[in-house]
Structures are given as C-alpha cells and as structure tokens.
Amino acid sequence: MIVLGIESSCDETAVAIVEDGHRVHSNLVSSQVRKHAEYGGVIPELAAREHLRAIAPLVELALREAKLDLSAIDGIAVTQAPGLLPALLVGISYAKGLSAALGKPLIGINHMIAHVYGAFIDQPEVRANPESYPVIALVVSGGHTMLLLIEADGRCSILGQTLDDAAGEAFDKAAKILFLPYPGGPLIDKLARTGDPRAVDFPRGLTGGGGTPLKPENRLNFSFSGLKTALLYNVRPETSGGDSTMREMGDEEFLNIIASYQEAVVDVLVRKTMWAVEDHRARSLVVCGGVACNSRLRVLMAEAAASRRLPLLIAPPAYCTDNAAMIAGLGCHELAAGRRSDYELDATPRFPVPERVYFAPCLPR
Ligand code: KG4
Ligand code: ZN
C-alpha cells in the first residue's frame, strides 16, 4: 500500500510517500523557521499562508522524487491534530481535495502518535515483534512532553505529561532569555557542547512545585517553568517582570550556564523516563519529537538504556523533527486496519491521545 502523507501542524510543510509503512519513496520538508525567527516564535496566520504557498509544489516534487504518478497512490494521510488550527486546516483541506479527486481513502492522523511511529520507520522488525512490548515512549517536541505506555495489542495510555512548558519550549524560552535566536533547541545543543554541565546547579522540576518534595501523583509528570525562571534570575538579576539586560559575564561563564541548563532539562527527562520503564517493566524505549535531536539527551538516554539492557529506539533526526514520513507511515497501518476519515474530518488544536495505536503487532480482530 502506497500512502501520500501531509504534515502542516506547525511551521514545516511536509509531504512524503511511504509504501507499507517503511519504504520511504520521498520525504520532503519546506521549513518556514526563518520567516518566524523574525518574531521570536511561530505566528499561526503566517504559518497557514506559507503552507498554502508550499503545499502543491511540494506534492508534485514528492511524486517526482518517488518516480510515481498520482494514480499509484492508495490513500492520503494528513495530520489532524494537535497543532495550530489555521496551519492544520491548510493540510486537511488539501488532503480532502486530493482524496476526492483521486477517489482514494483519507485518514486523519494524530501527530503525537506519528512522532512515536517515526522511531519505528527504520526498525520494522522491532515494531512488529510482540516481545518489544510494552513500549515506553517519551514524546518531546515544541508543544508536548509526554510519557506513553503502548502494549502489543495497541492499547495506549498517557503516564505523564508536562504541567507547564514542553521540553522544546524550555529550550526555546531559554534562548529568548539569553537573547539567542528562535528556535533555541538546536543552538543551545551546539553551544552546550563547549560548556561545563556541572557549573551551575539548576533546579530539577521533579515535581513537587516550588522545591517541595515530589508529589506521588506527579511522579511521571514534568515541570520546566521553575527551571526557566531560575535561568532568568541567574542571567538577568534586575528582572522585575519587564525587560532587562544581561549581567556582564565572559564567554566561558555564558557557555557553562547554557550547558548546565540543558543538563537540568535532559537529566529530568532521562530520570523520569527510566522510572516509567521500571514501573511498567518496559521491553523497549522510544524517544521521539524534535527534542530527541538533542545530542546530550541521546547520549544520556543511550547510557541509561544500555545499563538496563533496554533496547532504545531514537529516530534519525529527519524523523524526529516534524516530517510527513511519520504521517504517511502511520497512515499505511491505519488504512490497512480499515480505518477511514470522512469529509467531516476537522482540525482540533488539542486532541486526546487515542486509546489504541494501529501500528502494534497484536491488534484485536
Ligand atoms: O517535533 P518538532 O519539530 O515540532 C513540534 O511538534 O513541536 O519539535 C520542535 C522543537 C523546538 O522546540 C526545537 O527547539 C526543538 O524541538 N529542538 C531541539 C533540538 N532540535 C529541535 N531541542 C533541543 N536540542 C535540539 N538539538
Ligand atoms: Zn511535532
């Protein structure tokens, strides 16, 4: 089954053509990051206009790269939610038009589950093996931070999520505080490599709230806003809610602060993920979403997994940040399971994680 996938939930327009969930014929991304960088964050209406401009040429290019004609496409998969509403609507409208014109089925995809699927694209044998389950998946992106439990029959539940900022936001907002450009994650990752991660003991939001002991109900929840505030008061001590300038510091101290801040984010992500692994006796671990590109997270997660002999799947960076291969790949499984969306398919900015995922190996009949 050959599926054309469309992704337009945020600031990347992406189109991919994937066969049987794993053979990626083409995977194209047109990024708007530079346009939004001027404003220090994503502007939803600007994102929608850029998707509108990019989407049709990108579909044509994806077909050309795949050396396929539209008639070869068996179905269309499109990100339905979560995401920025105006941005999502562009992809969904285009997908509906394509589905109607071709007379081929349409399926709306949950972006979070697609991020998880992204880690399996190059590992079909792990995904298809019931012994890989239960899977713990840490989804860390610009908008979400979530721990999911996935069983071999596809049952899926949320074990924990962020109480305030997402991990990606923790990086992007830190960059803003440090007067670094948007998006902050990749740049902080790069700068942190030359700093000392132990130089500043930033608070770990583990999370009791305000430095109090961990509340049992928050064992697998995250909180990054206290950390962000600690950074703000460290580098801009004059801050009183309004604008302030950075205190004087040398390059070495600046880089040490960045490395220590990144360490605090990554430390909490790794620790809580391992708690979830132990609580649920997971037999493999997926780490996905844009923040999964972070080099320190990749190293520390690999060490923690290796010490527990736990198979770890972190997608290559191209399948971590927003892409359509993960949408088309998951779409193959959903369509093969007989799932279809009708023309009522609507975008929703927030969307519950589904109770079942359709890429699991032992789906009920
Ligand atoms: O998954 P994604 O592309 O889009 C969303 O669904 O949100 O994630 C984007 C987020 C941004 O916050 C960006 O700063 C972060 O991922 N990110 C990183 C790195 N690369 C991207 N964060 C830390 N280190 C990186 N190398
Ligand atoms: Zn995403």
Side-chain angles (χ1 to χ4, degrees):
M1 177 184 293
I2 302 181
V3 170
L4 185 142
I6 295 175
E7 153 64 34
S8 73
S9 66
C10 193
D11 57 353
E12 332 265 12
T13 319
V15 177
I17 298 172
V18 177
E19 186 168 358
D20 297 336
H22 300 282
R23 271 193 70 201
V24 180
H25 290 281
S26 55
N27 181 31
L28 302 177
V29 180
S30 164
S31 178
Q32 318 168 356
V33 164
R34 282 227 219 97
K35 302 237 152 129
H36 297 282
E38 270 180 59
Y39 304 94
V42 181
I43 309 292
E45 192 191 311
L46 177 61
R49 286 174 191 275
E50 290 299 313
H51 289 310
L52 199 55
R53 199 182 52 74
I55 199 161
L58 212 55
V59 169
E60 257 183 45
L61 208 58
L63 286 163
R64 208 176 318 145
E65 208 170 89
K67 299 192 174 60
L68 290 172
D69 188 82
L70 266 179
S71 60
I73 302 299
D74 298 307
I76 322 288
V78 63
T79 303
Q80 178 184 2
L84 302 170
L85 204 55
L88 288 165
L89 288 171
V90 176
I92 292 177
S93 307
Y94 193 91
K96 281 185 189 175
L98 207 52
S99 158
L102 298 176
K104 294 291 163 67
L106 173 72
I107 182 76
I109 296 288
N110 184 304
H111 182 88
M112 310 301 293
I113 302 302
H115 268 305
V116 177
Y117 187 76
F120 286 117
I121 292 178
D122 290 342
Q123 311 273 348
E125 57 306 320
V126 182
R127 180 199 55 75
N129 183 355
E131 312 235 312
S132 306
Y133 297 77
V135 169
I136 291 287
L138 173 72
V139 190
V140 271
S141 69
H144 295 85
T145 297
M146 219 176 243
L147 277 166
L148 299 176
L149 172 68
I150 299 168
E151 309 278 357
D153 64 0
R155 269 175 304 146
C156 176
S157 52
I158 301 177
L159 302 175
Q161 49 194 323
T162 182
L163 303 173
D164 39 59
D165 294 337
E169 270 179 299
F171 282 106
D172 297 338
K173 289 182 177 175
K176 227 172 182 171
I177 290 171
L178 297 164
F179 299 103
L180 295 172
Y182 171 87
L187 188 56
I188 287 181
D189 186 356
K190 198 164 148 211
L191 295 173
R193 280 174 213 168
T194 42
D196 175 3
R198 291 172 310 258
V200 186
D201 187 18
F202 279 115
R204 275 40 177 175
L206 279 177
T207 158
T212 56
L214 169 66
K215 293 186 182 131
E217 68 272 27
N218 283 337
R219 182 173 154 79
L220 298 180
N221 286 333
F222 299 91
S223 167
F224 295 109
S225 67
L227 170 63
K228 177 190 67 189
T229 309
L231 174 71
L232 178 65
Y233 283 103
N234 182 313
V235 298
R236 289 154 66 171
E238 304 298 311
T239 297
S240 58
D243 284 342
S244 60
T245 51
M246 261 221 317
R247 68 180 166 83
E248 277 198 24
M249 65 176 90
D251 287 352
E252 191 181 338
E253 189 187 358
F254 184 66
L255 294 171
N256 286 348
I257 288 172
I258 290 179
S260 302
Y261 181 89
Q262 172 178 272
E263 196 73 1
V265 176
V266 169
D267 179 24
V268 172
L269 291 175
V270 173
R271 267 203 254 178
K272 296 217 166 197
T273 301
M274 292 304 147
W275 290 349
V277 160
E278 281 153 19
D279 287 359
H280 296 275
R281 294 168 194 252
R283 291 208 270 179
S284 48
L285 170 63
V286 162
V287 181
C288 59
V291 180
C293 290
N294 185 271
S295 55
R296 187 72 180 149
L297 178 65
R298 294 174 88 95
V299 167
L300 292 188
M301 207 57 103
E303 283 175 12
S307 71
R308 290 166 177 79
R309 296 173 184 274
L310 178 73
L312 169 67
L313 292 97
I314 310 187
Y319 298 153
C320 284
T321 47
D322 286 347
N323 67 90
M326 66 184 193
I327 305 296
L330 179 55
C332 290
H333 293 279
E334 298 229 357
L335 289 169
R339 290 170 48 80
R340 304 281 184 270
S341 299
D342 59 23
Y343 293 138
E344 300 285 308
L345 180 70
D346 198 2
T348 36
R350 301 208 163 272
F351 200 59
V353 160
E355 286 172 9
R356 193 173 294 280
V357 300
Y358 289 87
F359 61 74
C362 308
L363 293 174
R365 289 177 186 275

